[in-house]
């Protein structure tokens, strides 16, 4: 449905909003939401926005995440192209660090918008359950 671009002040100027059908399994938006909607992924992206970090650093920064879940989540994020794993030292004990890829860094602005929304709305505490 078209909406006025500038509200009532610009009568006659319309823009079409593209609203994807996120209920369809083939929808690209739905697929992105399924990949990103994990709380651990969002928290790890937020932590990695500060720059490359090692596994132990991430585990300390992201309170409540287990070593197993951290490892699995980082592997999945690497597979999805959001995180790059870099080996710093090949010989045992191996030293590895994780960093956001260019694709992962594109999530900074949407994540900042979610953080701003949460700050304005008391973390969503005022949302009525369905």
């Amino acid at each position: 449905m078209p909406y006025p671009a500038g509200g009532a002040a610009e009568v006659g100027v319309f823009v079409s909003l593209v609203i994807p059908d996120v209920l369809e399994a083939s929808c690209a938006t739905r697929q992105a939401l399924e990949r990103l909607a994990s709380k651990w992924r969002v928290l790890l992206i937020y932590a990695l926005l500060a720059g490359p970090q090692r596994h132990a650093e991430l585990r300390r920064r992201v309170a409540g995440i287990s070593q197993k879940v951290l490892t699995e989540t980082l592997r999945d994020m690497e597979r999805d192209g959001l995180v790059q794993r870099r080996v710093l030292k090949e010989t045992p004990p191996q030293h590895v660090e994780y960093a956001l890829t260019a694709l992962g860094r594109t999530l900074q602005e949407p994540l900042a918008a979610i953080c701003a929304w949460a700050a304005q709305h008391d973390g969503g505490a005022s949302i009525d359950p369905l």
Side-chain angles (χ1 to χ4, degrees):
M1 177 192 293
Y3 294 94
E10 292 183 352
V11 177
V13 179
F14 291 93
V15 232
S16 292
L17 296 179
V18 178
I19 301 172
D21 190 355
V22 296
L23 301 178
E24 293 293 325
S26 62
C27 176
T29 301
R30 177 178 173 159
Q31 293 169 2
L33 286 171
E34 288 173 352
R35 286 195 169 103
L36 300 172
S38 155
K39 87 172 176 182
W40 298 121
R41 279 187 178 223
V42 171
L43 294 174
L44 287 169
I45 290 166
Y46 184 81
L48 288 168
L49 283 170
Q53 295 170 60
R54 293 180 47 194
H55 193 279
E57 291 173 282
L58 288 168
R59 185 142 182 246
R60 279 191 296 275
R61 290 197 67 203
V62 181
I65 194 167
S66 70
Q67 184 167 335
K68 178 184 178 211
V69 170
L70 176 58
T71 300
E72 289 172 355
T73 305
L74 287 169
R75 282 184 187 150
D76 290 345
M77 291 172 71
E78 183 182 14
R79 184 196 68 230
D80 290 340
L82 299 172
V83 168
Q84 178 183 24
R85 179 180 184 268
R86 191 171 75 134
V87 178
L88 302 174
K89 179 182 165 202
E90 292 284 344
T91 58
Q94 193 178 53
H95 295 272
V96 176
E97 74 176 10
Y98 297 88
L100 291 175
T101 61
L103 178 63
R105 287 189 301 276
T106 65
L107 295 167
Q108 181 172 356
E109 192 174 321
L111 185 55
I114 291 169
C115 291
W117 178 88
Q120 287 179 338
H121 300 284
D122 193 24
S126 60
I127 297 174
D128 290 328
L130 296 176

